[in-house]
Amino acid sequence: MQLNASRIKVLQAQDDVVSGMKESARKALLKISGDKNNYKKLLKGLIVQSLLRLKEPSVLLRCREMDVSVVKSVVEDAKREYVEKAKVRAPNITIDNNVYLPPPPSYADPHRSSCSGGVVLASDDGKIVCENTLDARLDVVFRQKLPEIRKQLFSKMSA
């Protein structure tokens, strides 16, 4: 029984370390959206990537309310790049001015919904959605790389 309790404590400690890493990465994401020039380039790239995934003639784009002006400034360049890469006609992109992605995380209310930046594009009928937010990308990386992360961090402990 004590052996099982010890194993559970070790697993919990390992989980705490990985959770701490993920939280540190989330905090670092906020710095990305704070660097205006690089964030502008990143948003353009995220839009192009989303368009390439969707391959729809008309899409709805959602972003954080604070990012609307930046998105508007890059959307035409993103369309041109998409046309060059996909060799198709430019899509109609409608920026949603009614529904926005949540604002950045807040220390005042850490449990409310938040978004560190990025975009979500959807087909006009809403059936196909490409979530290309920084948070969604971080979640995917951690999900895919978790076994490798655990192995790198904890392989020496079990040896």
Side-chain angles (χ1 to χ4, degrees), residues 29 53 64 78 108 132 135 150:
L29 289 179
R53 283 190 177 167
R64 299 181 305 179
N132 220 348
D135 303 286
R150 286 185 176 280

Side-chain angles (χ1 to χ4, degrees), residues 64-103:
R64 299 181 305 179
E65 190 171 11
M66 63 190 290
D67 293 339
V68 170
S69 62
V70 180
V71 167
K72 284 181 178 178
S73 75
V74 299
V75 78
E76 290 304 318
D77 287 341
K79 276 187 194 182
R80 280 191 286 278
E81 188 174 326
Y82 169 72
V83 167
E84 287 175 21
K85 288 183 176 187
K87 307 283 189 242
V88 295
R89 189 177 289 174
N92 177 39
I93 300 176
T94 304
I95 298 171
D96 192 335
N97 290 311
N98 297 317
V99 178
Y100 297 103
L101 299 180

Side-chain angles (χ1 to χ4, degrees), residues 22-33 39 42-43 46 63-64 66-67 101-106 110 112-120 130-144:
K22 191 172 182 181
E23 191 54 39
S24 293
R26 277 197 199 290
K27 289 177 182 174
L29 289 179
L30 291 174
K31 293 178 184 174
I32 292 171
S33 60
Y39 186 57
L42 177 65
L43 279 175
L46 293 173
C63 62
R64 299 181 305 179
M66 63 190 290
D67 293 339
L101 299 180
S106 163
R112 73 150 207 237
S113 183
S114 64
C115 177
S116 298
V119 293
V120 173
C130 180
E131 186 176 353
N132 220 348
T133 64
L134 301 179
D135 303 286
R137 293 173 74 95
L138 178 67
D139 289 342
V140 167
V141 167
F142 260 83
R143 225 179 6 261
Q144 290 175 347

